[in-house]
Structure formats: structure tokens, C-alpha cells
């Protein structure tokens, strides 16, 4: 009885903490269905009256439909996922399975890029992209992903690839497989967990990115979802908080669904990275 009582109290405490942590999200969801004049007058997570006017106004109330922002975010996030998975996996395969001159030196240089804040390289990158005529396009946000610019994912995949048996490569070489075929036919099929982990994190970080699009995108038709949310608030005029909260709820849905469908691969990829299998 004492063990059961402790178990019940533990679960009640965990449930209370969960509700406390989820309260801001639940309040946001409730506020998106409240009339505009009731949003800040109640702390309850259950609206006194339900209305979808905020969703209609938020979706169509700007000069550009919020659907355009969704499409832009999906394009940038999708291309970023594709670029990161392809480029980082190829770079990681070279560091983990191939032998070439100064491999350790270049691997150390790659790890050093993890220590550089984004703000350090921002100005040189902006100058370069402006000279190339890429400002106010998606290219500055997408092209670096195809050049293996994210050292974190390279390091993550290197640790996973090193855990795969070397005998697989040796057996494939005896059968006449080239390094590219080994990478494509053997390494990639065995590395789905870590590739899914990289894809999920890339999608979430790119979808939630505000600073990058703010720097490179200036026309509303090129805005992402995060920049679109900013347009609902105006420090010099009236802000549409109802539309802001409604579109904030919709902005969470793709991330939630993406994580929900791939959470098994995400957990498996994190759990097995860097471990001998």
C-alpha cells in the first residue's frame, strides 16, 4: 500500500507539473477562439464563447494571404532538410569511412565551426550574397544547406557511421563496389535513424527561424510564417492579437505533425549515435 501510495502521488505531481508547463500553450489555443475584447480579460483556458473570426481574419487580413507564408516556409524548410541530409551525410561518410590527406585536420576545422556564433559570419555572408544578387530571395537560406554548412549534423552522422561495422565496406569492396556505391547502397539504408534525426531538427530549426529570413527577405510575398506573425503587431498602431494568436496556433501544427510521425526514428537516432552496435 505504501508503494502504491507513493506511485499515485508521484504521478499526480508529474501531472500537475505537466499541466503547469502546458498552460501557456493551452491559454494560447483558448485565446485564439476568444472574441477580440475578451483575450486579455481572462486567464481561463476555457473560453466563455467560441469564435473562429480570429482565424479568418488572421488568414486573410493581411495584404498577402497567410497561406503564402506557409508555402514559403515549406519550400525553405523542405529544401533545407534535403540539402542537410544529402550534403552532411556525404561529408560525414568521408570523415568516418574514407582515408585522405589531412583528414583529422579538416575534421578539427569542421568542429571549430561549431564554436563560431552565427553573428560572427553574418556580415561576410550578407556581403557575399548581396554581391551575388541573392538578397530578397530564398537562396541565402537554402544554398548553404547543400554545402554541408551545419557542422553539428556532420558530427552527429560521423559518430553514427563509425558505429557501423567496417566489414561491410570491406565485403563490398571485394565485390567491386566503389565508395559512392557503398555510401548509397549500404551506409544510407542502415543510417535512417540518424538521417531522420537530422531531418527533424533541420525542419524545426528552419521553420522556427526568424533572424535569417528577417535579414535576407524584405518583400512581404517572400515572408516566412515567423515573419508573417510579426506583421500582426505594430508599435505605432493597433495590433491584431486575435489573428496573431490564431496564426501562432497554426504555425505549431506542422512541427507537431512532423515530430509525431518521425518521433520513433528520432529517439532511435539519438539513442544509438556514438554507440557501438
Amino acid at each position: 500500500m505504501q508503494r502504491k501510495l507513493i506511485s499515485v502521488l508521484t504521478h499526480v505531481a508529474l501531472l500537475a507539473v505537466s499541466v503547469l508547463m502546458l498552460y501557456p500553450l493551452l491559454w494560447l489555443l483558448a485565446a485564439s477562439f476568444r472574441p477580440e475584447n475578451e483575450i486579455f480579460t481572462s486567464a481561463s483556458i476555457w473560453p466563455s464563447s467560441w469564435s473562429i473570426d480570429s482565424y479568418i481574419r488572421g488568414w486573410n487580413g493581411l495584404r498577402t494571404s497567410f497561406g503564402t507564408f506557409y508555402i514559403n516556409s515549406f519550400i525553405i524548410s523542405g529544401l533545407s532538410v534535403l540539402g542537410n541530409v544529402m550534403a552532411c551525410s556525404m561529408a560525414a561518410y568521408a570523415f568516418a569511412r574514407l582515408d585522405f590527406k589531412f583528414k583529422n585536420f579538416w575534421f578539427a576545422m569542421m568542429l571549430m565551426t561549431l564554436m563560431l556564433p552565427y553573428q560572427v559570419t553574418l556580415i561576410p555572408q550578407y556581403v557575399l550574397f548581396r554581391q551575388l544578387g541573392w538578397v530578397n530571395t530564398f537562396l541565402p537560406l537554402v544554398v548553404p544547406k547543400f554545402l554541408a554548412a551545419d557542422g553539428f549534423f556532420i558530427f552527429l552522422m560521423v559518430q553514427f557511421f563509425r558505429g557501423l561495422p567496417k566489414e561491410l565496406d570491406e565485403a563490398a569492396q571485394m565485390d567491386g563496389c566503389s565508395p559512392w556505391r557503398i555510401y548509397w547502397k549500404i551506409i544510407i539504408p542502415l543510417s535512417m535513424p540518424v538521417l531522420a534525426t537530422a531531418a527533424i531538427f533541420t525542419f524545426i530549426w528552419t521553420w522556427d527561424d526568424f533572424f535569417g529570413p528577417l535579414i535576407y527577405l524584405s518583400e512581404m510575398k517572400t515572408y516566412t510564417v515567423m515573419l508573417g506573425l510579426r506583421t500582426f503587431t505594430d508599435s505605432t498602431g493597433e495590433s491584431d492579437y486575435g489573428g496573431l494568436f490564431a496564426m501562432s496556433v497554426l504555425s505549431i501544427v506542422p512541427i507537431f505533425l512532423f515530430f509525431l510521425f518521425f518521433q520513433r526514428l528520432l529517439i532511435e537516432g539519438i539513442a544509438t549515435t556514438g554507440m557501438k552496435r
Side-chain angles (χ1 to χ4, degrees):
M1 290 297 296
Q2 184 177 3
R3 291 181 178 178
K4 291 183 179 180
L5 180 60
I6 293 175
S7 177
V8 171
L9 292 178
T10 300
H11 283 80
V12 170
L14 291 175
L15 183 60
V17 172
S18 300
V19 172
L20 183 63
M21 296 180 64
L22 290 175
Y23 173 78
L25 183 62
L26 296 176
W27 185 90
L28 173 67
L29 180 62
S32 68
F33 288 101
R34 285 194 178 99
E36 186 77 16
N37 59 348
E38 297 181 8
I39 291 179
F40 295 109
T41 60
S42 174
S44 173
I45 59 175
W46 190 264
S48 59
S49 60
W50 295 80
S51 173
I52 62 172
D53 291 342
S54 295
Y55 285 89
I56 298 175
R57 189 172 64 253
W59 192 267
N60 299 313
L62 301 175
R63 297 196 308 270
T64 302
S65 172
F66 210 84
T68 302
F69 305 152
Y70 254 86
I71 294 174
N72 295 339
S73 289
F74 274 117
I75 292 175
I76 295 174
S77 300
L79 292 176
S80 297
V81 169
L82 179 63
N84 255 352
V85 171
M86 289 176 54
C88 292
S89 63
M90 287 190 286
Y93 171 72
F95 282 126
R97 315 294 278 195
L98 303 181
D99 292 323
F100 53 91
K101 289 185 178 181
F102 307 114
K103 181 173 76 170
N104 293 333
F105 171 78
W106 292 117
F107 187 70
M109 291 295 101
M110 183 273 298
L111 292 179
M112 288 181 63
T113 62
L114 298 176
M115 307 175 191
L116 292 175
Y118 177 70
Q119 292 78 6
V120 173
T121 59
L122 174 62
I123 295 178
Q125 286 182 352
Y126 182 84
V127 172
L128 173 62
F129 293 142
R130 184 171 184 177
Q131 291 176 348
L132 292 174
W134 290 3
V135 175
N136 203 32
T137 68
F138 297 158
L139 295 177
L141 304 173
V142 172
V143 171
K145 305 298 183 181
F146 287 87
L147 302 177
D150 288 323
F152 170 77
F153 295 115
I154 297 176
F155 177 74
L156 186 74
M157 294 180 188
V158 165
Q159 296 302 104
F160 188 92
F161 291 167
R162 285 175 176 172
L164 299 177
K166 265 282 191 180
E167 291 79 5
L168 295 174
D169 297 27
E170 296 171 356
Q173 289 174 355
M174 293 180 64
D175 289 338
C177 289
S178 63
W180 169 256
R181 193 171 184 182
I182 295 174
Y183 161 79
W184 187 251
K185 295 292 186 179
I186 297 177
I187 300 299
I188 291 300
L190 294 175
S191 304
M192 286 302 168
V194 72
L195 297 180
T197 301
I200 292 172
F201 279 118
T202 299
F203 182 85
I204 293 175
W205 292 347
T206 305
W207 185 272
D208 287 340
D209 185 23
F210 176 80
F211 190 61
L214 178 65
I215 296 298
Y216 294 111
L217 304 179
S218 57
E219 295 184 8
M220 183 171 286
K221 65 180 181 180
T222 63
Y223 278 9
T224 61
V225 168
M226 296 303 127
L227 288 183
L229 293 176
R230 186 195 61 164
T231 59
F232 287 102
T233 59
D234 186 0
S235 59
T236 60
E238 185 178 356
S239 299
D240 184 4
Y241 289 105
L244 172 63
F245 294 153
M247 295 302 100
S248 296
V249 171
L250 293 183
S251 70
I252 301 174
V253 174
I255 298 177
F256 176 77
L257 295 177
F258 199 83
F259 177 81
L260 184 66
F261 288 133
F262 297 102
Q263 62 176 334
R264 182 183 62 83
L265 292 174
L266 173 64
I267 296 173
E268 184 179 350
I270 295 176
T272 57
T273 298
M275 297 176 61
K276 295 296 181 182
R277 304 169 63 195

